[in-house]
Amino acid sequence: AMDEGVFQTFLPQATRQGIPESVAAQGLALESLSYIAGQLLGGALSDRFGRRSVGIASLAVVAVGSTAAFAATGAAPQVGIAGVVLHGFGMGSTIALRSAAFSDVFGGPNFGSIFGDLFGGGPRGRRRGPPSAIPGRDAEAELQVGLRDAVLGAERELHVDDKKLRVKIPAGVTDGSRIRLTGQ
């Protein structure tokens, strides 16, 4: 695959071009970190801006990064380092993009990814911050309800993606209950 190919061939190529081995090795470490950053951000960006546009942008970043990584010489090692960092970010975001697209087709709202499961976005973890609604999908949020409201019922407001929702809490609701809001 292209990501392993660039990763494996950069160090020998860079040293042949006069880049010190220690500098090239630092570049590979930064590439690994940017790969993870790309994975963490790629899916979120594709949810916001669309799979196609983020996919094209990711491939462009990979192409620019790969070209810069192999065009660098000892006189400009920072070009090679920037290239492998861009390549890592672009490849990481394509991984996240593929996972998000796979989720669209097969998973629905409870389909997890390794990063979602580890960092709280998947079905086993708790989402941090306000819930976000994806059009056509269910959004989940936790709501703290006091004893009085749980016994007698109440009406509360939730904010999901800058949208205010009115929630009717039925009398006698218990811990862990789910309340469906259809059409909102």
Side-chain angles (χ1 to χ4, degrees):
M2 186 174 179
D3 53 341
E4 289 108 12
V6 170
F7 190 82
Q8 292 170 358
T9 59
F10 174 71
L11 186 61
Q13 171 68 18
T15 56
R16 279 194 298 272
Q17 294 292 333
I19 297 173
E21 190 173 312
S22 63
V23 172
Q26 289 172 353
L28 292 178
L30 291 172
E31 179 183 26
S32 297
L33 293 173
S34 68
Y35 186 88
I36 293 168
Q39 286 184 325
L40 293 172
L41 295 174
L45 291 172
S46 70
D47 285 343
R48 183 170 179 92
F49 299 109
R51 307 278 187 253
R52 182 181 176 88
S53 58
V54 172
I56 291 169
S58 295
L59 292 176
V61 168
V62 167
V64 168
S66 299
T67 302
F70 290 105
T73 65
Q78 61 274 24
V79 173
I81 302 304
V84 293
V85 168
L86 285 172
H87 173 266
F89 186 86
M91 289 307 295
S93 65
T94 64
I95 296 294
L97 184 67
R98 287 179 267 174
S99 178
F102 191 74
S103 172
D104 290 345
V105 174
F106 297 107
N110 292 323
F111 183 81
S113 69
I114 187 167
F115 288 107
D117 291 344
L118 289 175
F119 298 115
R124 288 182 218 119
R126 296 241 162 126
R127 185 180 295 269
R128 292 185 179 102
S132 60
I134 299 172
R137 294 222 177 136
D138 292 343
E140 292 187 19
E142 288 187 20
L143 182 63
Q144 297 293 324
V145 178
L147 179 62
R148 182 174 189 266
D149 291 344
V151 172
L152 301 175
E155 192 168 306
R156 300 271 291 273
E157 284 184 3
L158 278 178
H159 293 275
V160 178
D161 283 346
D162 299 325
K163 188 176 178 183
K164 186 168 49 172
L165 303 174
R166 303 288 296 166
V167 180
K168 290 186 179 184
I169 300 166
V173 71
T174 59
D175 187 38
S177 294
R178 290 180 174 256
I179 302 170
R180 294 186 60 93
L181 306 175
T182 57
Q184 292 191 52

